[in-house]
Amino acid sequence: MRALAYPSPMASSADLRARVLAEAGRTPSPTRAQVRLRNLALLISGIVLPLVVFVCWGGVRPTGRPDSLIFETAGGAAAVALVVVIVALRRGRSMLGRAGSWLLAAAVVTPIVLFAWKVGISSAYPNGTVDWPERVGFRCLRLSCLTAVWPLAAFVMTRQESDPTHPHLTGAAIGAAVGACSWVLVDLWCPVAYVPHLLLGHLLPFTLTTLAGYWLGGAVIGLRKH
Amino acid sequence: MDRYAAGEDAAFAEVYDEVAPKLLSYLGRQTRDPARAEDLVQRTFLQMHRARGTFLSGSAVLPWAFAIARRLFIDELRRSRRDVMLGAAPIDEAIPSGESSAGVVEAEQLARMIQKELARLPETQRTAFELMRFDGLSHAEAAETLGVTISAVKLRAHRAYVALRAVLGAAIAEPDES
């Protein structure tokens, strides 16, 4: 493509070059190998810690649910979570990550799909969405938050100062990815598919995680003044 | 950049030599202040330096550098709350030397018209147009820089071309990159 001649480029001064190279020489920066090691530690801890919390909380609890129902609801949610994790955490071949529309879609569409999947599959089973008055959803809310808090922090840290274009959206997408993974664990633990329970115990923490990711994205993933 | 990310410090000078003139041109156009442009270039390179460990092997450096520069410029603009140029770059910079006086006058007029019409465009369209037309970025590179899809950047640039062509006619032609 032919670039317009207007306005013409300024000359890059030797003085500026010297200043930049000298400043870079004085400023420590980790190499790729160091960053990979740090990110690997963060990723492993972000996977292991919520699993420990999940096991300590009781692990998988069928509580009268047929195995097929558990397999279908949790399996479908896990497939959704995998897709969102790939969209949110992997940058593809670009240093700048996914386009904003992809990240926005991950943050907005994921909870709708997870919720619809859970209600839809449970509805196909007898008493699948029956009300459990003694289970309002606060325990699920707590479990969701506990399994999401560290992975969110860890995964956001792996993208520290990496996104100058849309750090908030990247953070929100990471929040949605973490929320989706947390949803799978809570789904394995919780037998209730009553809609008000799902809204409070499952969907609300997902939304909180996404919003926290949005905020953390601006603070951590975006460029900071040095 | 790959070698620099792997720890070869001397490679940073090569990255600088390749990218700095383009960034200076872009930021000079945005700020209309050579000192501010140089300051932003310096900060852009320091951001790249600090983030070198995150550089993906084989990814393009230019869109990344432009995106950082653009973000730093926008942040600085917001902080200073100063109105930015959108138009009045020194006309004499635009005119190639050695042209006849008639050519000079014509180039001046065209530059003024482009300035005026660019200033009227929405920021998203203007930026897409400038990155591709002034800075020579491809559709893919401009899309990456702006964090949007290639289709979106094509649409923005096309709308800018349509708006400019309505005023400037054949003086400005839309590139045919697909």
Side-chain angles (χ1 to χ4, degrees):
Chain A
M1 183 194 304
R2 181 177 64 90
L4 280 181
Y6 163 82
S8 67
M10 293 183 297
S12 173
S13 73
D15 177 49
L16 175 63
R17 185 180 192 273
R19 279 205 317 267
V20 169
L21 296 182
E23 187 65 32
R26 283 194 296 271
T27 309
S29 71
T31 62
R32 183 182 284 148
Q34 292 166 325
V35 168
R36 274 186 183 157
L37 193 63
R38 189 199 66 162
N39 285 353
L40 186 65
L42 286 169
L43 285 171
I44 289 172
S45 68
I47 292 168
V48 170
L49 277 183
L51 287 175
V52 170
V53 170
F54 173 68
V55 170
C56 293
W57 203 264
V60 181
R61 295 192 317 165
T63 325
R65 284 182 290 172
D67 288 347
S68 58
L69 174 59
I70 298 173
F71 179 78
E72 286 171 28
T73 55
V80 173
L82 181 65
V83 172
V84 184
V85 164
I86 290 169
V87 169
L89 290 181
R90 290 193 61 83
R91 286 180 287 176
R93 283 173 295 178
S94 165
M95 270 304 292
L96 298 167
R98 313 275 177 193
S101 51
W102 279 87
L103 300 171
L104 184 64
V108 173
V109 175
T110 306
I112 298 169
V113 172
L114 288 172
F115 185 77
W117 180 259
K118 174 76 174 172
V119 173
I121 296 295
S122 299
S123 301
Y125 285 80
N127 298 323
T129 56
V130 70
D131 181 14
W132 292 39
E134 72 278 16
R135 293 189 179 185
V136 180
F138 288 116
R139 282 193 293 171
C140 290
L141 179 64
R142 280 199 297 273
L143 177 59
S144 298
C145 292
L146 279 173
T147 53
V149 63
W150 174 248
L152 178 62
F155 295 165
V156 164
M157 278 193 281
T158 65
R159 294 293 304 273
Q160 200 171 5
E161 286 199 80
S162 69
D163 191 342
T165 50
H166 34 48
H168 288 285
L169 281 180
T170 300
I174 291 175
V178 169
C181 295
S182 179
W183 179 292
V184 174
L185 294 179
V186 175
D187 194 63
L188 291 167
W189 181 80
C190 171
V192 184
Y194 182 52
V195 169
H197 170 95
L198 290 179
L199 290 174
L200 176 67
H202 299 228
L203 199 59
L204 177 62
F206 185 101
T207 308
L208 293 175
T209 308
T210 305
L211 291 175
Y214 182 88
W215 178 77
L216 276 173
V220 178
I221 298 174
L223 304 185
R224 279 181 292 171
K225 195 176 181 187
H226 292 273
Chain B
M1 191 70 205
D2 255 343
R3 286 189 285 126
Y4 186 55
E8 190 181 323
D9 290 348
F12 193 49
E14 292 175 37
V15 175
Y16 180 91
D17 292 339
E18 181 69 27
V19 176
K22 291 167 183 162
L23 284 185
L24 269 171
S25 168
Y26 169 71
L27 291 167
R29 198 172 57 247
Q30 299 296 322
T31 61
R32 289 192 302 151
D33 179 346
R36 277 178 72 200
E38 289 197 354
D39 177 56
L40 286 168
V41 167
Q42 183 170 354
R43 286 163 54 195
T44 301
F45 274 99
L46 286 178
Q47 285 285 351
M48 293 168 69
H49 163 70
R50 269 189 290 267
R52 68 168 169 168
T54 67
F55 187 77
L56 291 173
S57 183
S59 61
V61 180
L62 208 53
W64 182 43
F66 268 90
I68 293 172
R70 182 167 178 262
R71 171 51 52 198
L72 292 175
F73 168 67
I74 290 170
D75 288 347
E76 191 194 82
L77 199 63
R78 283 177 180 161
R79 271 196 298 272
S80 64
R81 296 177 183 277
R82 281 170 54 188
D83 209 8
V84 79
M85 45 93 70
L86 302 187
I91 296 301
D92 53 350
E93 282 184 6
I95 303 163
S97 58
E99 292 214 357
S100 68
S101 59
V104 169
V105 171
E106 195 178 323
E108 271 186 18
Q109 284 175 344
L110 179 60
R112 283 206 183 91
M113 286 167 79
I114 293 174
Q115 290 172 10
K116 195 174 161 188
E117 293 312 311
L118 274 177
R120 286 181 184 165
L121 293 175
E123 192 272 339
T124 52
Q125 293 178 20
R126 186 179 57 248
T127 308
F129 175 87
E130 287 182 341
L131 285 174
M132 291 196 285
R133 198 68 188 197
F134 290 158
D135 300 308
L137 266 62
S138 66
H139 284 133
E141 287 171 332
E144 206 177 329
T145 300
L146 299 173
V148 298
T149 60
I150 294 176
S151 307
V153 89
K154 278 182 182 175
L155 185 64
R156 290 177 188 183
H158 175 70
R159 284 177 176 162
Y161 284 119
V162 169
L164 290 174
R165 201 188 294 132
V167 179
L168 306 174
I172 183 157
E174 188 169 359
D176 57 358
E177 183 189 345
S178 56

